[in-house]
Amino acid sequence: MIANTKTISLAFGSMALELDIPERNISSIILPSEPEIKENGVPLIKKALENPIKSRRLSEIVKPDSKVAIIVSDVTRPTPTAKLLPPLLDELYLGGAKDENITIVFALGLHRNQIEEESRKLVGEQVYERIRCIQHDTGRCRRIGMTSRGTPIEIFENILDTDVVIGIGSIEFHYYAGYSGGAKSVLPGVSSKETVITNHKMMIDEKAVSGRVDGPVRQDMEEAAKIFGLDFILNVVLDSKKEIVAAVAGDFIEAHRKGVEVVDSMYKVPVEPADAVVVSCGGFPKDINLFQANKALDNATQAVKQGGSIILVAECAEGIGNQVYECWNRECRSPDEAIERFKICFEFGGHKTAIIAKISKKFKLYLVSKLSDKQTKSAFFTPMQNVEDALYAVLLENPDAKIHLMPHGGQTLPVRKEN
C-alpha cells in the first residue's frame, strides 16, 4: 500500500520541480506570511517617494542643474528596477532634474560585468535609451576616508563627482550583512576590491548573521555610506512571486529599518528543528550559481537538528559563480583544510568554501543542480540527479525522518523555537 503523499513544487531556475513526499514525513512547509496584494507596485512606490522617512522629498533635494547618480542592483538581484525607475525619475523631474545630468550605475560590487542585453532588461528599454547607464569599475575608485573599524572607503569615481546619490534595491535577509538593501548600494555596490574585502572579513563575527542589523558588516557598511554621503534610498520588499508588497524611501538607515520590519513580519518563521530540510532558493536569479544559492542553504541550517540532512535545490546555470570560490573548492581537499586556510588567509570567494565546509561538518549536504558531480563534491555536497533521489537517500537512512520543506529558502528565515 502506497503511503499518502503530498506534492510540492520547488523552483529550479525558471522552471519548477515536483516532489512527492509521504505526508507522515512532513514536519512543516515553511512559508512566508505574505500579505494579500491590495495594490500593485507602482502606487506603493509613488506613495513611498511622496512620503519619505526622515528626509525631504527628492523633488525638494534636486535642483535643475544637479548631477544625479542612481545606483541600481545588478543581474544577480531580484530588484524590479524597471518598475522603480519611472516613478523615481518623475519625482526627480518634478524638482527640475534633466536626463543629461542623470547617470544610472549598476552596483556590481565584485560581481562580473553585465552584457548590454541584461542592462537593458534591468532598467527597461525606454530608460536605457534615454539615460546614461554605466557599470561599476573596481579599478576606478578613489579613497575618501576610513571607517572606525579600519575599512578604507574607496568609491567609484564617476559617483564622487555627482551632487545627489540615490540607492535603489530590495530588502531581504542576507547571511552576513543581516539584510540586503540600504547602505549596500554603496558598500559593496560601488566600492573598491580592498574596501569590500576589508568589510567582508568581519563576516566571521558571531553577530554577522541573517536577520540582525547590529552585526559589524552592516554597521561598517552604514558608516561608510554616511561618510560618503548616500542622500536617499528607494527600497522594496518582494513576496515569493517577486511582487512588490512594500516600498520605503528616504534616509538610508531609517527607511531601511522600516523595510526590515516588514521583512521580519513576513519571513521570520518559528520552527522546531527537524531531521532534514528540502530547500529551494526560489528559482532564478537566486540560484543562478552556487555562490548565490548558498544563501538559501545558510537560512535552512536553522531548521535542522545537528547531524541532520539538507537537500539544496538550485539550478546553478552559471556554475560556481566565482573564480576564487571555484579555486578554493578544487584546492581544499577536506572541510578541515578549508576552515584552517580561511583562518590564515581571508580571500573573497574563499569565504564561501570555508562557510560550506563548516556547515558540512554539522549536516549531510545534498545538492540537486546542473553542476557536474566533480564540482558538487569539491564544494562538500553529495550530488543528486534529482530531488526524489535525494529524498530517498534521507528516508533510506531514517524512514521516520521528519522533514521541513522550504520552497522559498532565499527569503525565509527559520527561527529555532528552542532559542
Side-chain angles (χ1 to χ4, degrees), residues 315-337:
E315 184 183 39
C316 303
E318 291 193 3
I320 300 296
N322 177 283
Q323 284 184 335
V324 177
Y325 181 23
E326 203 162 349
C327 184
W328 273 53
N329 284 355
R330 278 198 311 269
E331 292 171 1
C332 298
R333 287 159 297 181
S334 71
D336 286 332
E337 192 178 323

Side-chain angles (χ1 to χ4, degrees), residues 183-302:
K184 274 183 109 270
S185 290
V186 174
L187 200 181
V190 289
S191 296
S192 74
K193 189 175 180 181
E194 188 185 347
T195 299
V196 176
I197 287 173
T198 308
N199 170 267
H200 287 13
K201 279 181 181 177
M202 299 174 210
M203 68 172 65
I204 54 173
D205 188 285
E206 60 182 24
K207 286 185 180 177
V209 293
S210 273
R212 288 185 73 154
V213 291
D214 61 347
V217 177
R218 172 152 288 282
Q219 293 291 310
D220 193 57
M221 287 171 173
E222 290 178 346
E223 189 183 344
K226 192 172 185 178
I227 292 168
F228 158 67
L230 177 56
D231 297 289
F232 195 93
I233 62 163
L234 173 60
N235 281 184
V236 292
V237 178
L238 306 178
D239 66 11
S240 54
K241 297 185 185 75
K242 301 184 178 72
E243 297 291 337
I244 297 168
V245 292
V248 291
D251 179 81
F252 76 88
I253 292 177
E254 297 293 333
H256 181 260
R257 297 300 188 266
K258 284 289 179 194
V260 160
E261 286 174 20
V262 178
V263 172
D264 283 356
S265 68
M266 287 168 62
Y267 296 120
K268 277 189 175 175
V269 183
V271 297
E272 297 277 1
D275 300 305
V277 62
V278 180
V279 56
S280 161
C281 305
F284 179 87
K286 291 174 185 291
D287 68 352
I288 192 169
N289 53 47
L290 192 59
F291 191 89
Q292 295 300 330
N294 283 338
K295 292 170 187 175
L297 175 75
D298 195 71
N299 288 347
T301 60
Q302 299 304 306

Side-chain angles (χ1 to χ4, degrees), residues 62-346:
V62 294
K63 299 179 176 67
D65 59 347
S66 293
K67 287 182 182 173
V68 180
I70 305 171
I71 307 170
V72 303
S73 303
D74 73 354
V75 74
T76 66
R77 300 291 181 261
T79 310
T81 306
K83 281 186 185 171
L84 296 172
L85 282 172
L88 179 76
L89 289 168
D90 286 345
E91 179 69 19
L92 289 170
Y93 298 149
L94 197 61
K98 298 178 181 66
D99 281 349
E100 59 266 30
N101 291 333
I102 300 172
T103 303
I104 291 170
V105 182
F106 292 101
L108 301 181
L110 302 185
H111 298 164
R112 66 164 173 83
N113 275 18
Q114 293 169 173
I115 58 171
E116 189 183 358
E117 187 187 342
E118 289 171 325
S119 298
R120 276 181 183 274
K121 193 175 176 184
L122 281 173
V123 301
E125 199 69 42
Q126 287 185 328
V127 170
Y128 191 83
E129 291 298 332
R130 244 179 37 232
I131 311 273
R132 178 175 175 243
C133 295
I134 60 173
Q135 303 195 56
H136 169 51
D137 183 348
T138 52
R140 292 177 50 221
C141 294
R142 291 205 309 261
R143 185 172 293 204
I144 58 164
M146 189 172 283
T147 70
S148 58
R149 289 177 174 83
T151 301
I153 307 167
E154 297 173 351
I155 306 293
F156 185 35
E157 61 186 14
N158 290 53
I159 290 181
L160 290 175
D161 301 325
T162 55
D163 304 305
V164 180
V165 182
I166 303 157
I168 285 185
S170 49
I171 305 174
E172 57 190 348
F173 295 119
H174 189 278
Y175 69 111
Y176 56 82
Y179 299 83
S180 61
K184 274 183 109 270
S185 290
V186 174
L187 200 181
V190 289
S191 296
S192 74
K193 189 175 180 181
E194 188 185 347
T195 299
V196 176
I197 287 173
T198 308
N199 170 267
H200 287 13
K201 279 181 181 177
M202 299 174 210
M203 68 172 65
I204 54 173
D205 188 285
E206 60 182 24
K207 286 185 180 177
V209 293
S210 273
R212 288 185 73 154
V213 291
D214 61 347
V217 177
R218 172 152 288 282
Q219 293 291 310
D220 193 57
M221 287 171 173
E222 290 178 346
E223 189 183 344
K226 192 172 185 178
I227 292 168
F228 158 67
L230 177 56
D231 297 289
F232 195 93
I233 62 163
L234 173 60
N235 281 184
V236 292
V237 178
L238 306 178
D239 66 11
S240 54
K241 297 185 185 75
K242 301 184 178 72
E243 297 291 337
I244 297 168
V245 292
V248 291
D251 179 81
F252 76 88
I253 292 177
E254 297 293 333
H256 181 260
R257 297 300 188 266
K258 284 289 179 194
V260 160
E261 286 174 20
V262 178
V263 172
D264 283 356
S265 68
M266 287 168 62
Y267 296 120
K268 277 189 175 175
V269 183
V271 297
E272 297 277 1
D275 300 305
V277 62
V278 180
V279 56
S280 161
C281 305
F284 179 87
K286 291 174 185 291
D287 68 352
I288 192 169
N289 53 47
L290 192 59
F291 191 89
Q292 295 300 330
N294 283 338
K295 292 170 187 175
L297 175 75
D298 195 71
N299 288 347
T301 60
Q302 299 304 306
V304 199
K305 294 174 185 172
Q306 181 112 351
S309 301
I310 301 174
I311 299 169
L312 178 63
V313 178
E315 184 183 39
C316 303
E318 291 193 3
I320 300 296
N322 177 283
Q323 284 184 335
V324 177
Y325 181 23
E326 203 162 349
C327 184
W328 273 53
N329 284 355
R330 278 198 311 269
E331 292 171 1
C332 298
R333 287 159 297 181
S334 71
D336 286 332
E337 192 178 323
I339 293 162
E340 284 310 308
R341 178 171 171 177
F342 185 70
K343 284 177 185 172
I344 299 160
C345 154
F346 177 94

Side-chain angles (χ1 to χ4, degrees), residues 21-34:
I21 178 168
E23 287 188 1
R24 71 185 189 87
N25 292 111
I26 298 174
S27 180
S28 75
I29 300 174
I30 298 172
L31 293 171
S33 307
E34 297 182 336

